[in-house]
Amino acid sequence: MPPSVLFLALRHALNELRASAGSRFSGTRCSKCLRTFRSDAKVNGFNDYVARRRPASREPHWTSRPGLRPVRGLATVQHSNPDMRGPLDEYDERVHSRQLRDDDHQRGIVQSLQDLHDMLKDYHAPKVVHPTIESLKPPPRSLFGSLFHREPARRRTQIPANLPKGLYMYGDVGSGKTMLMDMFYDTLPHNITSKTRIHFHNFMQDVHKRLHAIKMEHGSDLDAIRYVAADIAEKGSVLCFDEFQCTDVADAMILRSLLEALMSHGVVLVTTSNRHPNDLYRNGIQRESFIPCINLLKTSLRVLNLDSTTDYRKIPRPPSGVYHHPLDKAAVTHANNWFRFFGDFKKDPPHTATHQVWGRNIEVPKASGDAAMFTFDELIGKATGAADYIELCRTYHGFVITGVPGMTYRERDLARRFITFIDAVYESRAKLVLTTAVPLFQLFMSHEEIDNALEDGRKSGSVKHAEDHEGVDDVMRQMMDDLGMNMSVLKNSSMFTGDEERFAFSRALSRLSEMGSQEWVERGLGMEHRGGLGEREGWQRVRSRWREDSM
């Protein structure tokens, strides 16, 4: 290592030691080293040194807020990316310089980072409106409410419609979480003028200190989470967490409200973790109160699996689950990745295909191997029916349907047709990939319809959080509980025209949830850790019997 680089490395290490000892200094950790490195392109060995170091800006520095005791703040830096380099550019450069080995699965992850990067180019976070202390105090109870201890209804937090969907990247040790976060954080587009990166444990410590200081000054009945969230949102429109986890009941109680409040101010969240959201806070105290946070992570962030699992064909499995919303740039990548995974591009490149049912032609716009790809309008928007869907399921074992809209009472014909298709795919044990405009639980009812059904249920006294939702798994049930819904209310809603339609709606949600599970997706693909080719052959025999039974 040249002397100049050695000197900078020693100074970098010294600054880290000073930070760990609790010294207070302006700027982010080792910011002087970063500025020197990035401005001095003549220092030999710079790239090799930086590639082995974690970015300095992840650690918090000391800040103070007028009127409050000094608390540990967030590592927020002013950002500029004059070269407009994206994660893919950085990845290609590292592959070219042989710092990284080109890997199809890892490249797919980087493409997801690139998709978010591209969406952020056109994103401008709204101006943060800091709530007043008075607005955060609960409304005074009436005499009637005080006598019966009735709690006021929870204020629904509105998330901006144009907020880009963030990322939740999880994987085991050595899966590249830190490198991928570095790649995304360092190449944010130039219009993101400030960004924040912090270890999640330090972030929660900072939040609890802020909450304590506010409540000590203004009382414990204050909704201090909204105040702290606005304070954090003012410091950066992109917030990156390292090692997202929940091990403390105090964190579990506030996380959902905190993350939702941050997103309501237009903050884009990107996080790494070693666990899938479903596995967070497992066996923790009062875990049921943490389930809404898990559902928020799964619906508001794109969950990416960094562990490179491959089937016997050596084709990397796409990093995210089979369902994606909203219909953004990442939805295109999502659909193409799964079509490639289920298809056979080498032996059977994508092409159009035609099938006949009762003398009519069914056009398949994209087919490859055992997979078919349609837009929602191409498959459901036409005059198709059960016979068409059964014929398609005899030929293909994987379906990718893009552009699925939310279907209100105005689109009941489309909803019935789509449910018929879901039933055919489920009965044939095929795979289903969807890109949707709304989350799954809003496919057949809009927010307004849900609110109307909920209001009808409240008037009749039938809304009960503890009531079971027939035919819906635990995750879907918790999502509906969180909205204050239950299946009996929806089934009794005037939005449905009869018992058969109510039952079909409930069954469709249940089947979509089951078909989105890892067990369903991997079954029959010959995954090595699940039995390999032998398991695949058994699955093919099951599908073969279904084809014979349905003829």
Side-chain angles (χ1 to χ4, degrees):
M1 183 180 292
S4 57
V5 175
L6 179 61
F7 170 75
L8 292 172
L10 289 174
R11 189 168 70 178
H12 182 91
L14 178 60
N15 281 338
E16 288 189 333
L17 288 174
R18 291 169 56 199
S20 61
S23 62
R24 301 186 181 188
F25 56 95
S26 59
T28 58
R29 176 178 289 186
C30 206
S31 57
K32 293 182 180 179
C33 289
L34 288 178
R35 284 198 298 271
T36 304
F37 279 151
R38 294 183 181 181
S39 63
D40 189 358
K42 297 180 181 180
V43 176
N44 296 325
F46 156 67
N47 288 330
D48 292 337
Y49 177 76
V50 172
R52 295 193 299 270
R53 301 298 302 179
R54 303 181 75 170
S57 56
R58 72 177 62 233
E59 293 294 337
H61 62 89
W62 289 85
T63 61
S64 61
R65 183 172 179 83
L68 298 177
R69 293 184 307 169
V71 294
R72 204 176 191 192
L74 302 174
T76 304
V77 298
Q78 297 302 310
H79 173 66
S80 63
N81 182 11
D83 297 332
M84 288 299 292
R85 292 168 54 81
L88 270 179
D89 296 327
E90 181 67 22
Y91 184 78
D92 288 337
E93 182 174 318
R94 295 188 188 186
V95 170
H96 181 72
S97 62
R98 298 187 178 182
Q99 297 179 51
L100 294 175
R101 177 176 58 86
D102 199 357
D103 177 82
D104 286 342
H105 177 76
Q106 200 168 68
R107 183 173 287 277
I109 299 288
V110 177
Q111 180 62 58
S112 299
L113 301 178
Q114 183 68 43
D115 290 339
L116 179 55
H117 173 94
D118 292 342
M119 286 186 280
L120 287 172
K121 287 181 180 177
D122 301 320
Y123 176 67
H124 296 279
K127 184 178 180 181
V128 176
V129 179
H130 216 291
T132 62
I133 295 298
E134 290 72 21
S135 68
L136 300 177
K137 293 181 178 179
R141 280 183 178 180
S142 63
L143 177 60
F144 181 81
S146 300
L147 290 174
F148 290 93
H149 304 286
R150 179 173 295 177
E151 294 294 333
R154 184 175 70 88
R155 184 188 289 107
R156 177 178 290 178
T157 303
Q158 296 294 332
I159 298 177
N162 68 330
L163 179 70
K165 193 170 187 177
L167 298 174
Y168 181 103
M169 301 181 288
Y170 75 97
D172 292 333
V173 175
S175 58
K177 298 189 291 291
T178 299
M179 181 203 69
L180 291 167
M181 182 68 91
D182 294 348
M183 203 173 291
F184 174 78
Y185 187 78
D186 293 336
T187 59
L188 281 168
H190 70 280
N191 56 295
I192 304 299
T193 56
S194 61
K195 55 183 182 178
T196 302
R197 181 172 179 176
I198 187 172
H199 193 281
F200 187 72
H201 177 69
N202 294 344
F203 173 78
M204 291 309 300
Q205 281 187 328
D206 175 80
V207 168
H208 283 298
K209 289 178 181 178
R210 291 171 183 263
L211 292 175
H212 177 73
I214 294 174
K215 290 183 178 181
M216 287 294 291
E217 183 175 352
H218 300 286
S220 59
D221 60 345
L222 191 75
D223 186 5
I225 292 177
R226 292 176 56 210
Y227 189 90
V228 170
D231 202 18
I232 296 171
E234 287 177 332
K235 298 181 182 299
S237 56
V238 175
L239 177 55
C240 297
F241 293 131
D242 287 306
E243 304 297 338
F244 189 102
Q245 58 182 320
C246 183
T247 58
D248 188 278
V249 65
D251 294 350
M253 295 298 102
I254 67 171
L255 260 175
R256 188 271 171 83
S257 298
L258 176 63
L259 298 181
E260 196 172 50
L262 286 170
M263 287 188 282
S264 72
H265 288 296
V267 176
V268 179
L269 301 179
V270 178
T271 181
T272 64
S273 179
N274 61 355
R275 296 185 179 187
H276 187 278
N278 286 340
D279 297 325
L280 292 171
Y281 198 51
R282 188 171 291 280
N283 302 321
I285 300 174
Q286 300 182 28
R287 188 176 189 266
E288 63 277 1
S289 63
F290 186 67
I291 298 296
C293 181
I294 292 176
N295 293 329
L296 177 70
L297 292 172
K298 292 167 62 177
T299 55
S300 299
L301 304 181
R302 189 180 182 192
V303 180
L304 302 179
N305 184 0
L306 304 187
D307 297 325
S308 180
T309 56
T310 58
D311 71 353
Y312 72 100
R313 299 169 296 173
K314 304 300 181 185
I315 298 176
R317 172 179 168 166
S320 58
V322 291
Y323 305 139
H324 177 90
H325 83 278
L327 299 177
D328 52 15
K329 186 179 186 300
V332 178
T333 301
H334 174 88
N336 291 335
N337 285 345
W338 277 107
F339 183 50
R340 178 177 179 271
F341 179 70
F342 286 134
D344 190 352
F345 282 23
K346 289 184 178 180
K347 296 181 180 179
D348 187 23
H351 60 278
T352 59
T354 303
H355 303 272
Q356 281 199 341
V357 177
W358 297 348
R360 294 183 296 104
N361 288 337
I362 306 175
E363 301 294 337
V364 180
K366 287 184 181 180
S368 174
D370 294 334
M373 187 172 180
F374 297 85
T375 67
F376 181 85
D377 290 337
E378 290 168 342
L379 182 65
I380 307 299
K382 297 180 179 179
T384 50
D388 304 303
Y389 305 143
I390 291 174
E391 177 61 30
L392 289 172
C393 290
R394 289 197 188 105
T395 306
Y396 304 103
H397 83 268
F399 293 90
V400 180
I401 313 299
T402 63
V404 180
M407 288 160 275
T408 66
Y409 71 92
R410 298 183 183 87
E411 295 87 20
R412 274 292 178 257
D413 289 342
L414 291 177
R416 295 189 191 99
R417 204 173 296 159
F418 187 52
I419 289 174
T420 302
F421 171 71
I422 292 171
D423 290 340
V425 173
Y426 181 86
E427 295 295 340
S428 71
R429 300 298 188 266
K431 319 297 180 185
L432 181 62
V433 177
L434 302 176
T435 63
T436 63
V438 295
L440 287 185
F441 60 90
Q442 293 179 29
L443 273 181
F444 306 110
M445 293 186 74
S446 67
H447 259 308
E448 290 74 16
E449 290 174 335
I450 290 173
D451 289 340
N452 291 337
L454 179 58
E455 184 62 27
D456 292 341
R458 283 176 177 155
K459 290 179 180 178
S460 64
S462 61
V463 172
K464 297 178 181 178
H465 284 286
E467 184 175 346
D468 287 336
H469 307 311
E470 307 160 27
V472 181
D473 74 348
D474 290 338
V475 173
M476 192 69 70
R477 184 181 299 115
Q478 290 289 351
M479 293 167 70
M480 299 176 76
D481 277 341
D482 195 41
L483 288 175
M485 303 159 38
N486 59 53
M487 283 306 297
S488 65
V489 171
L490 297 182
K491 287 180 180 179
N492 294 328
S493 169
S494 59
M495 301 301 171
F496 302 103
T497 58
D499 292 338
E500 185 177 349
E501 185 174 281
R502 296 183 182 104
F503 175 77
F505 166 80
S506 172
R507 184 180 60 192
L509 281 181
S510 176
R511 290 183 167 182
L512 282 173
S513 181
E514 184 179 354
M515 288 191 288
S517 66
Q518 181 178 352
E519 289 75 17
W520 183 280
V521 173
E522 291 188 351
R523 191 181 303 157
L525 292 180
M527 292 295 196
E528 294 173 355
H529 65 287
R530 294 186 177 273
L533 291 174
E535 195 269 345
R536 177 178 170 84
E537 291 168 359
W539 181 255
Q540 288 177 332
R541 286 194 293 271
V542 172
R543 275 187 54 82
S544 178
R545 294 192 191 98
W546 176 85
R547 290 191 185 98
E548 295 173 0
D549 293 341
S550 62
M551 292 180 68

